[in-house]
Amino acid sequence: MKFMSKLSKDVLVGILLISCTIGSLIFANSPFGASYQGFWNHSVGGHPLSHWINDGLMAIFFLLIGLELKREFQEGELKSPKHAILPIAAAIGGMLFPAIFYLGFNWGLPSQNGFGIPMSTDIAFVLAIIAILGSKVPKSLKVFLTALAVFDDLGAILIIAIFYTSDFSFIYLAFTLLLFGILFFVSRFSKPKTVKGEKTLLFFLLSAGICLWILLMKTGIHATISGILVALLIPSHSYIKTSVATTPVLTPAKRLEHRLHNPVYLVILPLFILANTAIPLHDVFPQSQFNFNNITQIINEPHVAGIASGLFFGKPLGILSGVFIAVRFNWARIPQDLRFNHLVGAGFLGGIGFTMAIFVTSLSFSEQALINSAKLTILLVSLTAALVGAIILSINSKRNYPL
C-alpha cells in the first residue's frame, strides 16, 4: 500500500501505456504474431476491431480532452490571456517547426501528407515524467507544460479536422451543424435544478453525441472530432442550490470529466496502444535482417527522417523559439523560478509524440509498410526525447534564462 501511495495516477498511467507498448511489440513478433494481428483486424459490424477503437473509443478520449480544455479556459491557468500567451507561443512554435522539418524531407513526395505526425505532444507521458521527477520540476514549469500540451491538443484537433478529411460532403455538414445548433440551444437554455434533471440532460446530450459522430463520419471529417463538439455542449454551470453556502456543487462538465478520466486512461488508451503498436519488425526491416545496411535504409526513408527530426529537433527548437519571441516582444514573462535547462528540458519532453502521433499516422498513410516504420520511429524517438528531457530537467542549474 505504501508503494501504491507513492506513485501518482500519472505515473501509473505512464507505466501502463509503456507496458502495453512493449507487450504489443513482443506479441506481434512472436510465433503468435499473426493471430495477435488478426484479432485487431477481426471484422465487427463490417469494420475491423481496430477501426472501432480508433474512430469510436477515441472519440471518448477527445471528449475528455475537450472537457479539460474547456475547464482550463474557464477557470484554470488559461483563463487570463496574460498567463496563456507564453504557452500559446511555445505551442505554435512547437507545431510549426516539426512540420517544417518533416516537409523539408518529404515535400512533393507521396509521404508529404504525414506532416501532422510530429506536431503533437502526448500529455499523458509528459505528466507521468513530471510526476516521476517530482521536486526537480518547479511548479511553474508544470503549469507551463500542462498549458502547452492543452494548446498542442487543440492544434492537433484543428489539423485533423482541416487536413485529414476525405470525401467531404456539404450536405452532411449542414445536417451536423443543424443538429449541433439544436443541441447547443437545448444545453444553453436548459436549467435543471435537481441532480436527476442534470443527469437527464447529460444523458440526452451524450446520446445525441452518437448522432453527431455518425453525421461527422458521413461528412468526411474524422468522427473523433464529435467528442470535442459534445464537450462544448456539456453545461459548465450548475443551477442546483445546496442548503450550505460553502458546499461546492459539481457541474455536469466536471462530473463527467471525473467519471471519464479512469476509463479513458486505464482502458481506452491502453486498447488504442495495443491495437496500434502491433508492429511486425519483419515488415519494417527488409528480409527480416537487423543489419546495419537495413537500419540505414530505414533511417534514410523521407518519412522516417521527417518524423525523427521533427520530434527530436523541431519540437525543442520550436518551443524555445516561441518562448523567445513572446519574451522579446514583451508579450509574456518567464516565471522567476524557471531556468534555462527547465525550458530546454520542456522542449525535449514536447517531442514525446506517442499516442497522438500514432493516431495521426493512421490518418496520414494507407500503405502498411509506411505506417509500421512511422510508428516504430515514433516509439523510438519519443523514448529518446523523454530520456533526454528528463536528464536535462534533473540538472540542478542555477543559470538564469538569458533573455
Side-chain angles (χ1 to χ4, degrees), residues 223-270:
T224 51
I225 303 300
S226 61
I228 299 296
L229 296 179
V230 174
L232 295 175
L233 298 172
I234 306 300
S236 299
H237 182 79
S238 179
Y239 294 93
I240 300 175
K241 295 182 180 180
T242 59
S243 56
V244 182
T246 57
T247 302
V249 177
L250 280 180
T251 66
K254 286 184 179 179
R255 190 180 295 116
L256 181 61
E257 182 182 339
H258 291 166
R259 291 186 176 181
L260 284 178
H261 196 274
N262 285 345
V264 166
Y265 285 105
L266 300 180
V267 179
I268 292 177
L269 285 186

mmCIF file of all heavy atoms in Angstrom, residues 223-270:
data_model
loop_
_atom_site.group_PDB
_atom_site.id
_atom_site.type_symbol
_atom_site.label_atom_id
_atom_site.label_comp_id
_atom_site.label_asym_id
_atom_site.label_seq_id
_atom_site.Cartn_x
_atom_site.Cartn_y
_atom_site.Cartn_z
ATOM 1 N N ALA A 223 -14.433 11.301 -37.386
ATOM 2 C CA ALA A 223 -15.563 11.232 -36.462
ATOM 3 C C ALA A 223 -15.190 11.537 -35.014
ATOM 4 O O ALA A 223 -16.046 11.896 -34.211
ATOM 5 C CB ALA A 223 -16.210 9.843 -36.543
ATOM 6 N N THR A 224 -13.901 11.379 -34.670
ATOM 7 C CA THR A 224 -13.496 11.633 -33.285
ATOM 8 C C THR A 224 -13.694 13.093 -32.885
ATOM 9 O O THR A 224 -13.794 13.402 -31.699
ATOM 10 C CB THR A 224 -12.020 11.264 -33.077
ATOM 11 O OG1 THR A 224 -11.227 11.886 -34.094
ATOM 12 C CG2 THR A 224 -11.817 9.763 -33.130
ATOM 13 N N ILE A 225 -13.764 13.998 -33.862
ATOM 14 C CA ILE A 225 -13.982 15.420 -33.566
ATOM 15 C C ILE A 225 -15.334 15.619 -32.872
ATOM 16 O O ILE A 225 -15.556 16.611 -32.189
ATOM 17 C CB ILE A 225 -13.924 16.248 -34.869
ATOM 18 C CG1 ILE A 225 -12.575 16.022 -35.572
ATOM 19 C CG2 ILE A 225 -14.097 17.733 -34.591
ATOM 20 C CD1 ILE A 225 -11.372 16.409 -34.744
ATOM 21 N N SER A 226 -16.238 14.648 -33.029
ATOM 22 C CA SER A 226 -17.540 14.747 -32.355
ATOM 23 C C SER A 226 -17.368 14.837 -30.842
ATOM 24 O O SER A 226 -18.193 15.442 -30.151
ATOM 25 C CB SER A 226 -18.421 13.547 -32.709
ATOM 26 O OG SER A 226 -17.817 12.333 -32.283
ATOM 27 N N GLY A 227 -16.298 14.241 -30.325
ATOM 28 C CA GLY A 227 -16.026 14.331 -28.896
ATOM 29 C C GLY A 227 -15.827 15.759 -28.443
ATOM 30 O O GLY A 227 -16.318 16.172 -27.379
ATOM 31 N N ILE A 228 -15.126 16.542 -29.240
ATOM 32 C CA ILE A 228 -14.906 17.959 -28.924
ATOM 33 C C ILE A 228 -16.222 18.727 -28.980
ATOM 34 O O ILE A 228 -16.508 19.563 -28.112
ATOM 35 C CB ILE A 228 -13.895 18.581 -29.908
ATOM 36 C CG1 ILE A 228 -12.540 17.870 -29.805
ATOM 37 C CG2 ILE A 228 -13.724 20.074 -29.649
ATOM 38 C CD1 ILE A 228 -11.870 18.023 -28.456
ATOM 39 N N LEU A 229 -17.032 18.447 -29.990
ATOM 40 C CA LEU A 229 -18.319 19.143 -30.128
ATOM 41 C C LEU A 229 -19.232 18.855 -28.938
ATOM 42 O O LEU A 229 -19.887 19.760 -28.415
ATOM 43 C CB LEU A 229 -19.007 18.725 -31.431
ATOM 44 C CG LEU A 229 -18.286 19.095 -32.730
ATOM 45 C CD1 LEU A 229 -19.085 18.601 -33.936
ATOM 46 C CD2 LEU A 229 -18.072 20.599 -32.824
ATOM 47 N N VAL A 230 -19.264 17.595 -28.509
ATOM 48 C CA VAL A 230 -20.098 17.244 -27.363
ATOM 49 C C VAL A 230 -19.577 17.924 -26.099
ATOM 50 O O VAL A 230 -20.360 18.391 -25.267
ATOM 51 C CB VAL A 230 -20.151 15.713 -27.178
ATOM 52 C CG1 VAL A 230 -20.905 15.359 -25.895
ATOM 53 C CG2 VAL A 230 -20.820 15.056 -28.379
ATOM 54 N N ALA A 231 -18.266 18.009 -25.960
ATOM 55 C CA ALA A 231 -17.682 18.678 -24.788
ATOM 56 C C ALA A 231 -18.127 20.133 -24.702
ATOM 57 O O ALA A 231 -18.358 20.664 -23.608
ATOM 58 C CB ALA A 231 -16.160 18.584 -24.843
ATOM 59 N N LEU A 232 -18.259 20.785 -25.858
ATOM 60 C CA LEU A 232 -18.715 22.171 -25.871
ATOM 61 C C LEU A 232 -20.155 22.302 -25.406
ATOM 62 O O LEU A 232 -20.566 23.367 -24.912
ATOM 63 C CB LEU A 232 -18.573 22.756 -27.286
ATOM 64 C CG LEU A 232 -17.152 22.882 -27.831
ATOM 65 C CD1 LEU A 232 -17.187 23.366 -29.280
ATOM 66 C CD2 LEU A 232 -16.326 23.836 -26.977
ATOM 67 N N LEU A 233 -20.916 21.225 -25.543
ATOM 68 C CA LEU A 233 -22.339 21.262 -25.188
ATOM 69 C C LEU A 233 -22.595 20.990 -23.705
ATOM 70 O O LEU A 233 -23.610 21.419 -23.163
ATOM 71 C CB LEU A 233 -23.103 20.231 -26.019
ATOM 72 C CG LEU A 233 -23.102 20.428 -27.540
ATOM 73 C CD1 LEU A 233 -23.725 19.203 -28.217
ATOM 74 C CD2 LEU A 233 -23.860 21.687 -27.927
ATOM 75 N N ILE A 234 -21.684 20.280 -23.046
ATOM 76 C CA ILE A 234 -21.905 19.893 -21.655
ATOM 77 C C ILE A 234 -21.883 21.137 -20.763
ATOM 78 O O ILE A 234 -20.909 21.893 -20.771
ATOM 79 C CB ILE A 234 -20.835 18.885 -21.175
ATOM 80 C CG1 ILE A 234 -20.772 17.691 -22.124
ATOM 81 C CG2 ILE A 234 -21.138 18.440 -19.755
ATOM 82 C CD1 ILE A 234 -22.053 16.921 -22.240
ATOM 83 N N PRO A 235 -22.932 21.395 -19.996
ATOM 84 C CA PRO A 235 -23.005 22.601 -19.163
ATOM 85 C C PRO A 235 -21.871 22.690 -18.142
ATOM 86 O O PRO A 235 -21.521 21.700 -17.501
ATOM 87 C CB PRO A 235 -24.358 22.460 -18.451
ATOM 88 C CG PRO A 235 -25.146 21.530 -19.318
ATOM 89 C CD PRO A 235 -24.156 20.582 -19.905
ATOM 90 N N SER A 236 -21.293 23.878 -18.028
ATOM 91 C CA SER A 236 -20.222 24.126 -17.059
ATOM 92 C C SER A 236 -20.730 24.895 -15.851
ATOM 93 O O SER A 236 -19.930 25.413 -15.063
ATOM 94 C CB SER A 236 -19.081 24.909 -17.734
ATOM 95 O OG SER A 236 -18.539 24.179 -18.797
ATOM 96 N N HIS A 237 -22.055 24.994 -15.739
ATOM 97 C CA HIS A 237 -22.646 25.698 -14.605
ATOM 98 C C HIS A 237 -23.800 24.871 -14.052
ATOM 99 O O HIS A 237 -24.546 24.255 -14.814
ATOM 100 C CB HIS A 237 -23.161 27.077 -15.024
ATOM 101 C CG HIS A 237 -23.732 27.874 -13.887
ATOM 102 N ND1 HIS A 237 -22.931 28.545 -12.991
ATOM 103 C CD2 HIS A 237 -25.009 28.089 -13.491
ATOM 104 C CE1 HIS A 237 -23.692 29.147 -12.088
ATOM 105 N NE2 HIS A 237 -24.965 28.895 -12.378
ATOM 106 N N SER A 238 -23.905 24.813 -12.733
ATOM 107 C CA SER A 238 -24.979 24.064 -12.092
ATOM 108 C C SER A 238 -25.969 25.030 -11.440
ATOM 109 O O SER A 238 -25.565 26.025 -10.830
ATOM 110 C CB SER A 238 -24.408 23.114 -11.035
ATOM 111 O OG SER A 238 -25.449 22.409 -10.398
ATOM 112 N N TYR A 239 -27.259 24.735 -11.588
ATOM 113 C CA TYR A 239 -28.311 25.572 -11.000
ATOM 114 C C TYR A 239 -28.887 24.945 -9.738
ATOM 115 O O TYR A 239 -29.864 25.436 -9.179
ATOM 116 C CB TYR A 239 -29.432 25.796 -12.022
ATOM 117 C CG TYR A 239 -28.979 26.601 -13.207
ATOM 118 C CD1 TYR A 239 -28.499 25.975 -14.358
ATOM 119 C CD2 TYR A 239 -29.007 27.998 -13.182
ATOM 120 C CE1 TYR A 239 -28.071 26.708 -15.450
ATOM 121 C CE2 TYR A 239 -28.577 28.740 -14.264
ATOM 122 C CZ TYR A 239 -28.111 28.098 -15.398
ATOM 123 O OH TYR A 239 -27.680 28.833 -16.467
ATOM 124 N N ILE A 240 -28.244 23.860 -9.285
ATOM 125 C CA ILE A 240 -28.695 23.205 -8.065
ATOM 126 C C ILE A 240 -28.271 24.044 -6.854
ATOM 127 O O ILE A 240 -27.113 24.450 -6.748
ATOM 128 C CB ILE A 240 -28.109 21.785 -7.949
ATOM 129 C CG1 ILE A 240 -28.559 20.930 -9.141
ATOM 130 C CG2 ILE A 240 -28.518 21.137 -6.636
ATOM 131 C CD1 ILE A 240 -27.937 19.558 -9.159
ATOM 132 N N LYS A 241 -29.186 24.302 -5.952
ATOM 133 C CA LYS A 241 -28.889 25.068 -4.757
ATOM 134 C C LYS A 241 -28.742 24.117 -3.567
ATOM 135 O O LYS A 241 -29.568 23.243 -3.349
ATOM 136 C CB LYS A 241 -30.003 26.087 -4.475
ATOM 137 C CG LYS A 241 -30.123 27.160 -5.549
ATOM 138 C CD LYS A 241 -31.220 28.159 -5.192
ATOM 139 C CE LYS A 241 -31.331 29.245 -6.274
ATOM 140 N NZ LYS A 241 -32.394 30.228 -5.942
ATOM 141 N N THR A 242 -27.642 24.319 -2.812
ATOM 142 C CA THR A 242 -27.409 23.496 -1.630
ATOM 143 C C THR A 242 -27.827 24.260 -0.381
ATOM 144 O O THR A 242 -27.878 25.493 -0.374
ATOM 145 C CB THR A 242 -25.920 23.126 -1.519
ATOM 146 O OG1 THR A 242 -25.142 24.338 -1.429
ATOM 147 C CG2 THR A 242 -25.467 22.345 -2.731
ATOM 148 N N SER A 243 -28.096 23.525 0.678
ATOM 149 C CA SER A 243 -28.527 24.153 1.929
ATOM 150 C C SER A 243 -27.374 24.863 2.625
ATOM 151 O O SER A 243 -27.576 25.801 3.392
ATOM 152 C CB SER A 243 -29.114 23.094 2.866
ATOM 153 O OG SER A 243 -28.178 22.052 3.082
ATOM 154 N N VAL A 244 -26.145 24.417 2.343
ATOM 155 C CA VAL A 244 -24.965 25.048 2.938
ATOM 156 C C VAL A 244 -24.247 25.847 1.867
ATOM 157 O O VAL A 244 -23.869 25.297 0.823
ATOM 158 C CB VAL A 244 -24.010 23.990 3.541
ATOM 159 C CG1 VAL A 244 -22.809 24.680 4.190
ATOM 160 C CG2 VAL A 244 -24.764 23.137 4.549
ATOM 161 N N ALA A 245 -24.038 27.125 2.119
ATOM 162 C CA ALA A 245 -23.477 28.021 1.103
ATOM 163 C C ALA A 245 -22.069 27.618 0.680
ATOM 164 O O ALA A 245 -21.653 27.829 -0.461
ATOM 165 C CB ALA A 245 -23.474 29.456 1.626
ATOM 166 N N THR A 246 -21.305 27.052 1.626
ATOM 167 C CA THR A 246 -19.906 26.714 1.328
ATOM 168 C C THR A 246 -19.743 25.354 0.648
ATOM 169 O O THR A 246 -18.643 24.975 0.269
ATOM 170 C CB THR A 246 -19.085 26.714 2.628
ATOM 171 O OG1 THR A 246 -19.676 25.793 3.549
ATOM 172 C CG2 THR A 246 -19.040 28.106 3.248
ATOM 173 N N THR A 247 -20.835 24.618 0.511
ATOM 174 C CA THR A 247 -20.752 23.297 -0.105
ATOM 175 C C THR A 247 -20.599 23.419 -1.623
ATOM 176 O O THR A 247 -21.469 23.977 -2.294
ATOM 177 C CB THR A 247 -22.026 22.474 0.195
ATOM 178 O OG1 THR A 247 -22.169 22.360 1.604
ATOM 179 C CG2 THR A 247 -21.910 21.094 -0.424
ATOM 180 N N PRO A 248 -19.476 22.930 -2.184
ATOM 181 C CA PRO A 248 -19.281 23.044 -3.630
ATOM 182 C C PRO A 248 -20.207 22.117 -4.398
ATOM 183 O O PRO A 248 -20.514 21.013 -3.939
ATOM 184 C CB PRO A 248 -17.817 22.642 -3.808
ATOM 185 C CG PRO A 248 -17.539 21.733 -2.654
ATOM 186 C CD PRO A 248 -18.373 22.246 -1.515
ATOM 187 N N VAL A 249 -20.650 22.569 -5.545
ATOM 188 C CA VAL A 249 -21.530 21.758 -6.392
ATOM 189 C C VAL A 249 -20.779 21.417 -7.676
ATOM 190 O O VAL A 249 -20.303 22.316 -8.372
ATOM 191 C CB VAL A 249 -22.833 22.514 -6.726
ATOM 192 C CG1 VAL A 249 -23.702 21.677 -7.666
ATOM 193 C CG2 VAL A 249 -23.591 22.849 -5.457
ATOM 194 N N LEU A 250 -20.662 20.126 -7.932
ATOM 195 C CA LEU A 250 -20.004 19.714 -9.168
ATOM 196 C C LEU A 250 -20.918 19.993 -10.353
ATOM 197 O O LEU A 250 -22.081 19.599 -10.359
ATOM 198 C CB LEU A 250 -19.671 18.228 -9.119
ATOM 199 C CG LEU A 250 -18.416 17.804 -8.341
ATOM 200 C CD1 LEU A 250 -18.263 16.298 -8.413
ATOM 201 C CD2 LEU A 250 -17.172 18.485 -8.886
ATOM 202 N N THR A 251 -20.375 20.695 -11.354
ATOM 203 C CA THR A 251 -21.142 20.952 -12.571
ATOM 204 C C THR A 251 -21.197 19.675 -13.408
ATOM 205 O O THR A 251 -20.382 18.762 -13.205
ATOM 206 C CB THR A 251 -20.489 22.071 -13.385
ATOM 207 O OG1 THR A 251 -19.197 21.613 -13.857
ATOM 208 C CG2 THR A 251 -20.294 23.325 -12.541
ATOM 209 N N PRO A 252 -22.150 19.576 -14.353
ATOM 210 C CA PRO A 252 -22.196 18.391 -15.219
ATOM 211 C C PRO A 252 -20.876 18.142 -15.942
ATOM 212 O O PRO A 252 -20.462 16.989 -16.093
ATOM 213 C CB PRO A 252 -23.324 18.736 -16.199
ATOM 214 C CG PRO A 252 -24.229 19.635 -15.417
ATOM 215 C CD PRO A 252 -23.313 20.465 -14.556
ATOM 216 N N ALA A 253 -20.197 19.236 -16.371
ATOM 217 C CA ALA A 253 -18.927 19.082 -17.092
ATOM 218 C C ALA A 253 -17.861 18.466 -16.195
ATOM 219 O O ALA A 253 -17.137 17.542 -16.594
ATOM 220 C CB ALA A 253 -18.464 20.433 -17.623
ATOM 221 N N LYS A 254 -17.744 18.963 -14.961
ATOM 222 C CA LYS A 254 -16.744 18.426 -14.037
ATOM 223 C C LYS A 254 -17.070 17.001 -13.632
ATOM 224 O O LYS A 254 -16.178 16.153 -13.518
ATOM 225 C CB LYS A 254 -16.654 19.322 -12.796
ATOM 226 C CG LYS A 254 -15.944 20.645 -13.024
ATOM 227 C CD LYS A 254 -15.816 21.414 -11.734
ATOM 228 C CE LYS A 254 -15.086 22.742 -11.952
ATOM 229 N NZ LYS A 254 -14.980 23.520 -10.697
ATOM 230 N N ARG A 255 -18.362 16.732 -13.411
ATOM 231 C CA ARG A 255 -18.768 15.386 -13.010
ATOM 232 C C ARG A 255 -18.431 14.379 -14.110
ATOM 233 O O ARG A 255 -17.912 13.285 -13.840
ATOM 234 C CB ARG A 255 -20.271 15.377 -12.714
ATOM 235 C CG ARG A 255 -20.750 14.083 -12.049
ATOM 236 C CD ARG A 255 -22.247 14.099 -11.776
ATOM 237 N NE ARG A 255 -22.586 15.124 -10.803
ATOM 238 C CZ ARG A 255 -23.353 16.176 -11.078
ATOM 239 N NH1 ARG A 255 -23.843 16.336 -12.303
ATOM 240 N NH2 ARG A 255 -23.644 17.049 -10.133
ATOM 241 N N LEU A 256 -18.698 14.759 -15.359
ATOM 242 C CA LEU A 256 -18.402 13.863 -16.481
ATOM 243 C C LEU A 256 -16.899 13.696 -16.654
ATOM 244 O O LEU A 256 -16.419 12.585 -16.919
ATOM 245 C CB LEU A 256 -19.035 14.417 -17.764
ATOM 246 C CG LEU A 256 -18.827 13.579 -19.025
ATOM 247 C CD1 LEU A 256 -19.443 12.190 -18.862
ATOM 248 C CD2 LEU A 256 -19.439 14.285 -20.245
ATOM 249 N N GLU A 257 -16.154 14.789 -16.498
ATOM 250 C CA GLU A 257 -14.697 14.718 -16.627
ATOM 251 C C GLU A 257 -14.111 13.753 -15.603
ATOM 252 O O GLU A 257 -13.243 12.932 -15.933
ATOM 253 C CB GLU A 257 -14.094 16.115 -16.444
ATOM 254 C CG GLU A 257 -12.578 16.149 -16.605
ATOM 255 C CD GLU A 257 -12.006 17.531 -16.374
ATOM 256 O OE1 GLU A 257 -12.755 18.525 -16.483
ATOM 257 O OE2 GLU A 257 -10.790 17.619 -16.084
ATOM 258 N N HIS A 258 -14.574 13.834 -14.369
ATOM 259 C CA HIS A 258 -14.077 12.943 -13.326
ATOM 260 C C HIS A 258 -14.397 11.475 -13.640
ATOM 261 O O HIS A 258 -13.579 10.586 -13.403
ATOM 262 C CB HIS A 258 -14.694 13.328 -11.979
ATOM 263 C CG HIS A 258 -14.183 14.645 -11.470
ATOM 264 N ND1 HIS A 258 -14.787 15.334 -10.441
ATOM 265 C CD2 HIS A 258 -13.134 15.415 -11.857
ATOM 266 C CE1 HIS A 258 -14.123 16.459 -10.221
ATOM 267 N NE2 HIS A 258 -13.133 16.536 -11.071
ATOM 268 N N ARG A 259 -15.596 11.245 -14.170
ATOM 269 C CA ARG A 259 -16.001 9.869 -14.455
ATOM 270 C C ARG A 259 -15.300 9.287 -15.674
ATOM 271 O O ARG A 259 -15.158 8.065 -15.792
ATOM 272 C CB ARG A 259 -17.520 9.811 -14.649
ATOM 273 C CG ARG A 259 -18.302 10.060 -13.359
ATOM 274 C CD ARG A 259 -19.787 9.854 -13.560
ATOM 275 N NE ARG A 259 -20.517 10.003 -12.297
ATOM 276 C CZ ARG A 259 -21.823 9.855 -12.174
ATOM 277 N NH1 ARG A 259 -22.551 9.535 -13.240
ATOM 278 N NH2 ARG A 259 -22.406 10.012 -10.996
ATOM 279 N N LEU A 260 -14.882 10.142 -16.587
ATOM 280 C CA LEU A 260 -14.241 9.657 -17.808
ATOM 281 C C LEU A 260 -12.754 9.397 -17.630
ATOM 282 O O LEU A 260 -12.157 8.620 -18.385
ATOM 283 C CB LEU A 260 -14.435 10.675 -18.946
ATOM 284 C CG LEU A 260 -15.805 10.744 -19.603
ATOM 285 C CD1 LEU A 260 -15.818 11.834 -20.669
ATOM 286 C CD2 LEU A 260 -16.184 9.407 -20.223
ATOM 287 N N HIS A 261 -12.139 10.058 -16.660
ATOM 288 C CA HIS A 261 -10.684 10.013 -16.546
ATOM 289 C C HIS A 261 -10.141 8.585 -16.455
ATOM 290 O O HIS A 261 -9.263 8.180 -17.236
ATOM 291 C CB HIS A 261 -10.220 10.834 -15.339
ATOM 292 C CG HIS A 261 -8.750 11.145 -15.373
ATOM 293 N ND1 HIS A 261 -7.801 10.273 -14.882
ATOM 294 C CD2 HIS A 261 -8.070 12.213 -15.846
ATOM 295 C CE1 HIS A 261 -6.602 10.782 -15.051
ATOM 296 N NE2 HIS A 261 -6.730 11.974 -15.629
ATOM 297 N N ASN A 262 -10.627 7.803 -15.520
ATOM 298 C CA ASN A 262 -10.128 6.427 -15.363
ATOM 299 C C ASN A 262 -10.438 5.534 -16.562
ATOM 300 O O ASN A 262 -9.542 4.822 -17.047
ATOM 301 C CB ASN A 262 -10.685 5.808 -14.079
ATOM 302 C CG ASN A 262 -9.994 6.346 -12.837
ATOM 303 O OD1 ASN A 262 -8.932 6.954 -12.922
ATOM 304 N ND2 ASN A 262 -10.603 6.146 -11.686
ATOM 305 N N PRO A 263 -11.690 5.517 -17.075
ATOM 306 C CA PRO A 263 -11.951 4.685 -18.261
ATOM 307 C C PRO A 263 -11.088 5.054 -19.458
ATOM 308 O O PRO A 263 -10.644 4.162 -20.203
ATOM 309 C CB PRO A 263 -13.435 4.952 -18.556
ATOM 310 C CG PRO A 263 -14.017 5.349 -17.244
ATOM 311 C CD PRO A 263 -12.933 6.121 -16.552
ATOM 312 N N VAL A 264 -10.840 6.342 -19.657
ATOM 313 C CA VAL A 264 -10.044 6.763 -20.815
ATOM 314 C C VAL A 264 -8.587 6.353 -20.654
ATOM 315 O O VAL A 264 -7.992 5.737 -21.549
ATOM 316 C CB VAL A 264 -10.150 8.294 -21.018
ATOM 317 C CG1 VAL A 264 -9.072 8.784 -21.982
ATOM 318 C CG2 VAL A 264 -11.527 8.655 -21.572
ATOM 319 N N TYR A 265 -7.979 6.700 -19.521
ATOM 320 C CA TYR A 265 -6.541 6.477 -19.345
ATOM 321 C C TYR A 265 -6.189 5.049 -18.933
ATOM 322 O O TYR A 265 -5.045 4.613 -19.142
ATOM 323 C CB TYR A 265 -5.974 7.468 -18.322
ATOM 324 C CG TYR A 265 -5.846 8.858 -18.888
ATOM 325 C CD1 TYR A 265 -6.739 9.867 -18.533
ATOM 326 C CD2 TYR A 265 -4.845 9.170 -19.810
ATOM 327 C CE1 TYR A 265 -6.633 11.141 -19.075
ATOM 328 C CE2 TYR A 265 -4.730 10.433 -20.350
ATOM 329 C CZ TYR A 265 -5.629 11.423 -19.978
ATOM 330 O OH TYR A 265 -5.515 12.676 -20.518
ATOM 331 N N LEU A 266 -7.145 4.323 -18.374
ATOM 332 C CA LEU A 266 -6.849 2.958 -17.937
ATOM 333 C C LEU A 266 -7.426 1.892 -18.856
ATOM 334 O O LEU A 266 -7.044 0.723 -18.752
ATOM 335 C CB LEU A 266 -7.376 2.743 -16.508
ATOM 336 C CG LEU A 266 -6.800 3.665 -15.428
ATOM 337 C CD1 LEU A 266 -7.401 3.344 -14.076
ATOM 338 C CD2 LEU A 266 -5.277 3.579 -15.380
ATOM 339 N N VAL A 267 -8.331 2.277 -19.768
ATOM 340 C CA VAL A 267 -8.932 1.291 -20.675
ATOM 341 C C VAL A 267 -8.773 1.699 -22.135
ATOM 342 O O VAL A 267 -8.183 0.965 -22.942
ATOM 343 C CB VAL A 267 -10.438 1.083 -20.353
ATOM 344 C CG1 VAL A 267 -11.048 0.076 -21.334
ATOM 345 C CG2 VAL A 267 -10.626 0.604 -18.919
ATOM 346 N N ILE A 268 -9.289 2.884 -22.493
ATOM 347 C CA ILE A 268 -9.319 3.285 -23.905
ATOM 348 C C ILE A 268 -7.922 3.482 -24.475
ATOM 349 O O ILE A 268 -7.588 2.939 -25.540
ATOM 350 C CB ILE A 268 -10.178 4.554 -24.076
ATOM 351 C CG1 ILE A 268 -11.650 4.233 -23.796
ATOM 352 C CG2 ILE A 268 -10.029 5.112 -25.499
ATOM 353 C CD1 ILE A 268 -12.570 5.427 -23.860
ATOM 354 N N LEU A 269 -7.071 4.264 -23.804
ATOM 355 C CA LEU A 269 -5.723 4.484 -24.328
ATOM 356 C C LEU A 269 -4.893 3.196 -24.360
ATOM 357 O O LEU A 269 -4.187 2.955 -25.349
ATOM 358 C CB LEU A 269 -5.009 5.571 -23.524
ATOM 359 C CG LEU A 269 -5.451 7.010 -23.798
ATOM 360 C CD1 LEU A 269 -4.566 8.000 -23.056
ATOM 361 C CD2 LEU A 269 -5.435 7.317 -25.297
ATOM 362 N N PRO A 270 -4.939 2.337 -23.324
ATOM 363 C CA PRO A 270 -4.236 1.057 -23.454
ATOM 364 C C PRO A 270 -4.716 0.214 -24.625
ATOM 365 O O PRO A 270 -3.906 -0.391 -25.332
ATOM 366 C CB PRO A 270 -4.542 0.365 -22.111
ATOM 367 C CG PRO A 270 -4.710 1.489 -21.153
ATOM 368 C CD PRO A 270 -5.425 2.549 -21.950
#
